[in-house]
Amino acid sequence: MSSHDVPSKTLDQIEFDNRFTNQLPADPSEVVRPRQVEHAAYSRVAPTATAGPVTVAVAAEVAELLELAPGEVETQRFADVFSGNELLEGMDPFAMAYAGHQFGNFAGQLGDGRAIGLGEVRTSDGDHWMLQLKGAGPTPYSRRADGLAVLRSSIREFLCSEAMYHLGVPTTRALSLIRTGDQVMRDMLYDGNPALEPGAVVCRVAPTFIRFGNFELFSWREEIDELRQLAAFTIETEFPEIASAHEDSGSPEAVAAFFAEVARRTATMAVHWMRVGFVHGVMNTDNMSILGLTIDYGPYGWLEDFDPGWTPNTTDASHKRYQFGNQPQIAQWNLVQLANALYPLVEEVEPLQAGIAVFAEAFEIEWNQMMADKLGFDSLEEEHGKLVNELFEVLQLTETDMTIFYRQLADVPVADGSVDIDAAIDETLAAAYYVPSELTDDVRQRIGTWLESYAAQIAKLGRSDADRKVAMNAVNPKFVLRNYLAQVAIDKAEAGDDSLVVELLEVLRRPYDEQPGNEYFAQPRPEWARTKVGCSMLSCSS
Ligand code: AMP
Ligand code: MG
């Protein structure tokens, strides 16, 4: 299909080509109760039927990827299929087996405890898209939990996946958000106050949902044949350049090349997170996509004030392992776990170390370019590096909204090498400062000194203010999924009004546009949201 055609498939015309379940070893048992599953990449399991599915929102671009006709998503049958009440011809539902390191410790078998893969859509161009329902009932990997998801966490996953996509951050996608009509019991703050909440299911979409943890599982169990099979499968289906460069996709050389490519993509993903101020919150190796996509939107958050030590995840509050500023290091630590898991296939340390070096190198190059872009330079020269370090200090002198600061910096005239410091602080950048009384003479002076060096360096480039603004606004978003905005949408939805979910989805489709009339969505966090649950603090309960 060429890009200008309107997609026209009905649900029944979607074609499935289920490579994962057809080519990898299946669990012979279909018993759903929690158990260890050996020598298998997945277990077949049917989604649990829901009481009364109602579609809340659909991402039109994702429906288009699947070539679904626009009218199809409005049907009741769509809600039935994407809540798990009906299977389409060709679907082969399953839960993946994987392991993982959680908060630094190996946790053994985890697996899709509340995600059920439906199958891989094959488009007319031959692309494959795995469909996966999150919250569609228990699987053999559900351990002590129910396999369900509540509306609040589903709204967060649905909106954030699409917001990230439109920001240009590698991510899994979300097709639909559907209320199930069932009630789900959750102790939201883990404080002994369980309550019923509305249930929901999100249909996630990605080329594959294979994680670092899938490899860790086989490696840990010393199921080396299965490990090699999974590596060869992943390379052949997702890394065709590597497959065609090697005669045997399971060979040590192919696996090492694959690892290096995963490292490179992971570096790119981490740089994007740092660019937009995204904090994943649970960077466990079971939440690391082998494709370098952001995956598993749980207790994530968006930086408001620029604080590298911030994490939204209350489960991680004491160690803050996954705080904003640690994410690149943690990404590398996770890659080391993947390297360990792949070692039995490579049997040499050096090629895997080379892959880790690829991460470090790619991260540094892409980070430098990203910071250059955010500030309106062509590239990050040595003198700019110092400017960046000083900026990170200045941003922490007083509570400063990261998103607003960069966006507004583009509006501060500096092209002639000088800057009106008072006008910059009191007008252009003012909205970024949460506590104006903290803007003491000393703080103002340090911001001013930084602005002056910035102006001097921009002037050396000879770049006009207008050109610089266009360039900066293409990488510094005006609209991100602010923590409190998601929570306001959730509060409304829990009261029965889903309109803000739909409205946010629309605004977040164009995060770099000015969008006159939508300023409300670009405002700094209101004071009431500072300590409200869901806005600045989130548990893993979902
Ligand atoms: P997470 O860190 O949230 O990605 O989840 C870690 C593990 O717990 C994964 O294996 C999930 O499938 C599982 N899990 C999380 N929530 C539930 C739930 N409500 N029911 C069953 N399994 C769950
Ligand atoms: Mg997970």
Side-chain angles (χ1 to χ4, degrees):
M1 190 185 78
S2 63
S3 56
H4 52 266
D5 289 341
V6 176
S8 59
K9 286 187 182 169
T10 63
L11 287 168
D12 291 315
Q13 287 168 332
I14 294 181
E15 203 187 307
F16 288 90
D17 175 26
N18 302 322
R19 302 172 302 179
F20 189 90
T21 51
N22 289 338
Q23 296 179 37
L24 291 173
D27 169 11
S29 165
E30 293 193 13
V31 172
V32 176
R33 70 175 161 70
R35 57 195 166 86
Q36 292 295 304
V37 176
E38 293 178 359
H39 294 288
Y42 67 94
S43 305
R44 289 205 160 83
V45 57
T48 300
T50 59
V54 175
T55 305
V56 173
V58 174
E61 294 89 351
V62 183
E64 196 169 319
L65 283 178
L66 307 177
E67 302 178 329
L68 262 183
E72 284 298 278
V73 305
E74 281 156 29
T75 61
Q76 182 55 41
R77 188 141 178 259
F78 179 89
D80 288 338
V81 169
F82 293 102
S83 63
N85 278 11
E86 185 190 332
L87 293 175
L88 296 175
E89 177 85 34
M91 284 180 171
D92 185 13
F94 69 98
M96 274 188 189
Y98 52 80
H101 278 80
Q102 298 184 312
F103 300 97
N105 304 305
F106 187 68
Q109 177 186 298
L110 298 167
D112 285 336
R114 55 140 161 212
I116 295 183
L118 294 176
E120 296 165 64
V121 172
R122 180 171 52 203
T123 69
S124 10
D125 289 338
D127 293 338
H128 286 75
W129 294 104
M130 176 74 82
L131 306 180
Q132 189 195 63
L133 302 183
K134 188 162 174 181
T139 76
Y141 310 97
S142 298
R143 296 178 288 162
R144 286 173 304 281
D146 56 11
L148 302 175
V150 292
L151 182 62
R152 66 182 151 81
S153 65
S154 304
I155 290 175
R156 286 170 50 83
E157 169 121 26
F158 176 77
L159 285 179
C160 202
S161 334
E162 289 306 291
M164 292 282 269
Y165 170 75
H166 293 292
L167 283 164
V169 183
T171 180
T172 62
R173 305 294 300 274
L175 170 67
S176 52
L177 168 64
I178 296 178
R179 288 171 177 267
T180 59
D182 295 314
Q183 299 278 311
V184 176
M185 187 68 86
R186 284 290 180 273
D187 184 359
M188 186 166 78
L189 297 177
Y190 298 133
D191 60 0
N193 289 301
L196 285 173
E197 299 188 41
V201 170
V202 170
C203 177
R204 308 198 290 189
V205 177
T208 181
F209 290 94
I210 296 173
R211 303 136 190 272
F212 291 11
N214 295 66
F215 297 89
E216 289 179 272
L217 180 68
F218 288 141
S219 199
W220 167 57
R221 291 218 172 106
E222 298 180 28
E223 295 171 350
I224 306 305
D225 289 345
E226 289 84 352
L227 179 65
R228 186 171 292 108
Q229 216 182 326
L230 177 66
F233 171 83
T234 308
I235 292 168
E236 277 157 26
T237 52
E238 304 301 335
F239 298 82
E241 338 65 61
I242 297 176
S244 53
H246 296 87
E247 225 160 87
D248 172 7
S249 298
S251 67
E253 297 73 25
V255 173
F258 157 65
F259 177 66
E261 178 59 14
V262 176
R264 198 190 58 73
R265 293 190 193 189
T266 303
T268 301
M269 175 185 79
V271 169
H272 278 289
W273 290 0
M274 304 313 280
R275 172 174 67 85
V276 299
F278 176 78
V279 188
H280 183 284
V282 206
M283 289 180 74
N284 294 333
T285 55
D286 52 305
N287 292 337
M288 296 291 291
S289 149
I290 206 71
L291 299 181
L293 304 174
T294 314
I295 189 173
D296 277 15
Y297 292 89
Y300 67 82
W302 292 82
L303 275 201
E304 287 152 354
D305 62 299
F306 182 81
D307 173 6
W310 184 68
T311 176
N313 184 357
T314 52
T315 311
D316 190 25
S318 50
H319 296 99
K320 299 211 295 175
R321 179 180 173 86
Y322 299 139
Q323 58 182 271
F324 179 65
N326 277 4
Q327 297 186 121
Q329 268 164 271
I330 294 289
Q332 177 162 337
W333 190 91
N334 288 343
L335 283 163
V336 172
Q337 308 319 310
L338 177 61
N340 288 338
L342 295 174
Y343 178 78
L345 304 181
V346 180
E347 290 190 311
E348 267 184 280
V349 174
E350 196 279 325
L352 293 166
Q353 270 170 347
I356 296 292
V358 166
F359 172 87
E361 221 171 280
F363 184 82
E364 190 182 325
I365 293 170
E366 292 177 32
W367 163 272
N368 285 343
Q369 190 58 50
M370 178 275 283
M371 282 311 305
D373 294 342
K374 281 185 86 68
L375 293 174
F377 297 117
D378 292 329
S379 58
L380 205 76
E381 305 305 328
E382 217 174 302
E383 57 204 18
H384 302 150
K386 187 157 166 261
L387 194 73
V388 168
N389 291 337
E390 283 167 4
L391 173 61
F392 291 162
E393 281 175 30
V394 164
L395 287 174
Q396 292 176 73
L397 292 174
T398 176
E399 227 179 307
T400 308
D401 190 277
M402 173 178 163
T403 305
I404 297 177
F405 180 88
Y406 283 106
R407 187 79 182 182
Q408 290 303 111
L409 184 61
D411 273 339
V412 177
V414 293
D416 67 1
S418 68
V419 61
D420 180 342
I421 295 172
D422 287 336
I425 296 176
D426 298 324
E427 291 161 34
T428 320
L429 299 173
Y433 296 118
Y434 279 100
V435 192
S437 63
E438 277 179 19
L439 290 167
T440 58
D441 288 348
D442 183 45
V443 170
R444 294 175 69 96
Q445 200 181 355
R446 289 191 59 191
I447 298 170
T449 306
W450 186 84
L451 286 170
E452 279 168 345
S453 348
Y454 176 60
Q457 296 194 20
I458 290 290
K460 269 202 247 169
L461 274 184
R463 192 168 211 178
S464 76
D465 285 324
D467 281 358
R468 180 175 56 93
K469 176 172 171 164
V470 170
M472 287 172 71
N473 284 1
V475 294
N476 295 321
K478 177 166 177 177
F479 301 96
V480 296
L481 182 57
R482 290 181 173 274
N483 309 311
Y484 87 91
L485 284 176
Q487 190 56 41
V488 174
I490 288 166
D491 290 343
K492 273 191 147 177
E494 287 180 343
D497 174 3
D498 295 331
S499 60
L500 195 52
V501 174
V502 176
E503 207 177 335
L504 270 172
L505 176 66
E506 189 56 30
V507 170
L508 295 168
R509 288 176 68 223
R510 293 176 294 129
Y512 300 101
D513 289 2
E514 281 302 321
Q515 300 196 38
N518 280 336
E519 283 76 16
Y520 165 77
F521 298 101
Q523 282 171 5
R525 174 207 61 221
E527 204 43 40
W528 59 259
R530 182 184 286 275
T531 51
K532 185 173 168 1
V533 172
C535 297
S536 55
M537 301 184 292
L538 290 140
S539 74
C540 284
S541 159
S542 52

